[in-house]
Amino acid sequence: MRAVVRRVQRALVRVEGEVVGEIGEGLLVYLGVSSEDEVGDLDWLVPKIAGLRIFDDDEDRMNLSLKDRDLDVLVVSQFTLYGNLRKGFRPSFNRAASPDLGKTLYECFVEKMSAELEKPIPTGRFGAHMEIEAVDHGPVTILLDSRDKKY
């Protein structure tokens, strides 16, 4: 699983003009699922995101997490995180999960994140064309990959 995690002042996602998910300060997480991913990947990724110490403390040092500050997360599915450009200029998405597997693991990620943070998690709509608005804070952007943990 791959996640692009952006620290935001606020973010929202629309589908067909309707706001389907919205947060104030917190994290906007773009989540990509590969064909090789399984539920076990979530056991590493969910606590890693929930525990990221990328929010300022009283001394303006990135030292606090979502849990420390009781902030929110907006999760948006993004299979294009598995775009491959080894050949040519048109991305291949052959490493991305099938829609069934992708949706299952995306929904499981949201459930586990909700349990980890002990609150509901707003989301986009899996498989839909979405419009995302976000105001980055920093900017701070972190890349995580459950198969390549050295990021």
Side-chain angles (χ1 to χ4, degrees):
M1 246 167 250
R2 289 184 178 159
V4 173
V5 180
R6 294 171 56 189
R7 187 177 74 176
V8 296
Q9 290 179 342
R10 63 185 173 279
L12 66 82
V13 59
R14 285 188 183 88
V15 175
E16 296 178 2
E18 172 192 354
V19 174
V20 296
E22 183 173 13
I23 62 168
E25 186 178 9
L27 297 178
L28 170 58
V29 176
Y30 292 106
L31 183 71
V33 179
S34 84
S35 57
E36 299 174 358
D37 289 333
E38 51 196 33
V39 174
D41 290 285
L42 299 169
D43 295 335
W44 177 81
L45 190 59
V46 168
K48 183 65 78 172
I49 292 172
L52 281 174
R53 292 172 38 191
I54 59 174
F55 294 94
D56 293 345
D57 62 16
D58 292 337
E59 297 174 7
D60 291 327
R61 295 181 57 186
M62 286 196 300
N63 199 30
L64 301 175
S65 69
L66 286 169
K67 292 171 112 176
D68 296 328
R69 299 264 321 271
D70 192 29
L71 299 175
D72 295 316
V73 178
L74 174 62
V75 180
V76 175
S77 63
Q78 190 172 359
F79 77 94
T80 60
L81 291 178
Y82 281 95
N84 177 333
L85 287 165
R86 280 180 243 193
K87 296 181 181 178
F89 296 93
R90 182 171 182 240
S92 167
F93 301 106
N94 59 352
R95 290 186 53 213
S98 68
D100 288 341
L101 176 62
K103 185 174 184 180
T104 297
L105 290 178
Y106 168 77
E107 290 174 349
C108 190
F109 175 89
V110 172
E111 287 175 22
K112 286 182 176 284
M113 185 63 74
S114 179
E116 182 81 19
L117 298 177
E118 300 177 345
K119 64 170 80 178
I121 303 297
T123 67
R125 188 171 298 153
F126 187 89
H129 180 82
M130 295 174 270
E131 297 174 0
I132 294 108
E133 293 179 24
V135 177
D136 286 350
H137 188 149
V140 175
T141 304
I142 305 292
L143 304 174
L144 296 169
D145 189 322
S146 65
R147 300 288 168 160
D148 185 3
K149 296 176 177 78
K150 65 184 174 192
Y151 271 116

